[in-house]
Amino acid sequence: YGLDSSIVQHNLNNLEIGAEHTRLNILKVGFNELVKHPYFDESQSKEIIKLRSINGGIDSTELKNIFTKTEWERLRKYLSWNI
């Protein structure tokens, strides 16, 4: 990735290569958990909860409308739709 090998070696204990990340089940996650995530702000979290309660769920198309394209690309890998 263009990093000098001495920098990598110096920081190796702080790196997690290939680490798994926890996915948020967007159909079940609560407001408090959403706002704790660094990629969701309060207004986005409220909108997710609102849409979910109105529609009985939320799909990726509805969710994409809440975020900018850049935000969506960044956060979609942290979401799941497991029932």
Side-chain angles (χ1 to χ4, degrees), residues 42-57:
E42 186 173 340
S43 65
Q44 293 164 332
S45 299
K46 284 180 181 179
E47 186 67 18
I48 290 168
I49 300 299
K50 180 179 117 184
L51 286 171
R52 218 173 50 190
S53 66
I54 291 170
N55 301 327

Side-chain angles (χ1 to χ4, degrees), residues 1-5 7-8:
Y1 296 100
L3 287 174
D4 185 271
S5 62
I7 293 172
V8 173

